[in-house]
Amino acid sequence: MSNARATRLTRRGLLGAGGALGLGAALAACGGGDKGKDTGSDSAKGTDKTGPWSFKDDRGHTAKADKVPADIVAFVGVAAALHDYGVGVKGVFGPTKTKDGKADVQAGGLDVDKVTLLGNEWGQFNIEKYAALSPDLLVTTMFDGAGTLWYVPEESTKKVLALGAPSVGISVYDRQMTEPLQRMLELAKSLGADTASSAITRAKKRFEDAAARLRAATRAKPGIKVLAGSASQDIFYVSGSDLSVDLEYFKALGVNFVEPSASALKASGGWFENLSWENVDKYPADIIMMDNRTSAIQPADITEATWKKLPAVKAGQVIARNPEPILSYDRCAPLLEDLAKAIETAEKVS
């Protein structure tokens, strides 16, 4: 089995368990490097909706159309980011509605009642509904180096792509948040977004300020240890800081993360370590960032006594983390602000 295939399998298992997953120029004043990856900054072409359109994605594929796509189907997190930039979609797939019909955390500001839902859970993608929308573009993220389209079932990918709509994949694998943020902005621009608008300019400035604040917080309190976790019924997952776009960026800004060993991460392809609830105290931590997706058990609902005894939990130093951040500056800035505040106010308890 190839490493890429193994990674896809562990990501699927991770999603099912609600595990801990983890912007292309870096922000020079506040970010780290981008590992030398090509950001494709010249890939967004033609915002004239009457003319031809093309976009080179992170697989190296160039999606083309006679005009700017208007009938877009996207993974819900991508749709939420495009929505923040003023680009609408017709259909979505992925966690969009909670059991009570409300918008899932991954839907951001989308009006989930005004889009066609092709599938709300892993493995669900209604090809008939997709075809009926007559889409002219399919967009999602990618969590491996093999170009696997996130949340498009592997067994259905060929059928979906055979329907003719060009596809775009934005990589969120083993790079800092600044890179996919920039790529999503480029995609939105190619689809007609006014990326020089005052609202987007303000959002980018807020993000830059938040990054500077987080860096200052980590310099002021370098000893504060942060653990990225996720809870399921039987397993507590501890993320490594590599591979995930948010954690890689936070680390570049100086955040001192708990780091499972390479051998402990190996079974998940490098993403996380599995701990039993009896061993949830394996890693001392001052702040715990917990997966806020609906697939994970939320801190208020964890009944395990070992969890309640953790110093960070007893000190109230637990904050939310979205391992699949919505890639707009407006949505990502608060992630940095919340972590900066947590570090600024944290007591050393580990």
Side-chain angles (χ1 to χ4, degrees):
M1 180 182 294
S2 69
N3 290 335
R5 175 65 175 167
T7 298
R8 294 199 292 273
L9 287 173
T10 55
R11 291 287 296 173
R12 177 183 296 134
L14 173 60
L15 183 83
L21 301 181
L23 311 158
L27 299 172
C30 51
D34 62 5
K35 296 194 174 184
K37 296 181 177 66
D38 179 10
T39 64
S41 59
D42 62 347
S43 60
K45 301 176 182 178
T47 55
D48 180 359
K49 294 190 176 184
T50 63
W53 172 88
S54 69
F55 187 89
K56 186 177 180 180
D57 76 358
D58 293 337
R59 298 170 295 180
H61 296 181
T62 300
K64 297 179 180 181
D66 293 336
K67 62 180 181 179
V68 175
D71 298 326
I72 302 169
V73 171
F75 174 68
V76 60
V78 172
L82 292 176
H83 170 82
D84 288 347
Y85 291 132
V87 177
V89 305
K90 290 183 69 174
V92 298
F93 53 95
T96 303
K97 293 184 177 182
T98 59
K99 291 180 179 179
D100 59 4
K102 296 181 180 179
D104 188 276
V105 65
Q106 291 184 252
L110 280 177
D111 186 335
V112 297
D113 294 319
K114 291 185 178 181
V115 291
T116 298
L117 181 55
L118 305 181
N120 202 61
E121 298 178 3
W122 182 263
Q124 295 180 351
F125 191 106
N126 192 309
I127 298 176
E128 290 74 19
K129 282 187 177 181
Y130 176 74
L133 291 174
S134 299
D136 48 18
L137 182 63
L138 172 70
V139 193
T140 187
T141 49
M142 301 182 299
F143 278 94
D144 62 24
T148 305
L149 298 177
W150 186 235
Y151 253 91
V152 180
E154 290 183 59
E155 64 275 13
S156 303
T157 299
K158 288 184 179 180
K159 292 181 180 179
V160 171
L161 297 181
L163 291 172
S167 63
V168 165
I170 300 297
S171 180
V172 288
Y173 174 70
D174 193 18
R175 60 201 63 204
Q176 294 178 26
M177 182 188 288
T178 43
E179 187 173 338
L181 257 177
Q182 179 65 27
R183 296 291 283 134
M184 193 65 71
L185 186 69
E186 292 169 359
L187 176 60
K189 180 179 180 180
S190 80
L191 294 170
D194 179 6
T195 57
S197 70
S198 58
I200 293 175
T201 300
R202 285 196 303 271
K204 290 180 70 175
K205 178 61 165 58
R206 179 183 175 186
F207 180 88
E208 293 168 6
D209 289 346
R213 177 182 174 184
L214 179 54
R215 184 183 289 282
T218 63
R219 286 175 173 171
K221 290 187 172 181
I224 295 296
K225 201 77 173 176
V226 180
L227 182 149
S230 184
S232 70
Q233 183 174 353
D234 300 314
I235 298 173
F236 184 80
Y237 302 87
V238 179
S239 280
S241 64
D242 290 333
L243 304 185
S244 298
V245 294
D246 61 332
L247 302 187
E248 284 204 15
Y249 187 49
F250 299 159
K251 181 170 64 174
L253 293 172
V255 175
N256 184 8
F257 280 110
V258 165
E259 298 286 4
S261 67
S263 59
L265 295 170
K266 185 176 181 180
S268 70
W271 290 95
F272 57 90
E273 177 181 359
N274 297 350
L275 295 179
S276 66
W277 283 104
E278 289 78 10
N279 295 315
V280 73
D281 61 352
K282 178 178 179 179
Y283 296 108
D286 304 296
I287 295 171
I288 301 176
M289 302 175 67
M290 288 294 289
D291 186 345
N292 71 348
R293 294 170 301 166
T294 53
S295 56
I297 298 175
Q298 298 306 299
D301 299 319
I302 298 175
T303 59
E304 301 289 342
T306 49
W307 164 260
K308 295 180 179 180
K309 291 179 181 178
L310 293 177
V313 175
K314 293 172 69 174
Q317 295 176 176
V318 178
I319 65 172
R321 172 197 174 213
N322 188 343
E324 296 182 67
I326 295 170
L327 295 169
S328 72
Y329 290 100
D330 193 48
R331 299 286 168 180
C332 286
L335 307 182
L336 282 83
E337 292 167 345
D338 291 346
L339 181 53
K341 180 180 179 180
I343 293 173
E344 290 164 353
T345 59
E347 297 180 7
K348 184 69 179 174
V349 295
S350 64

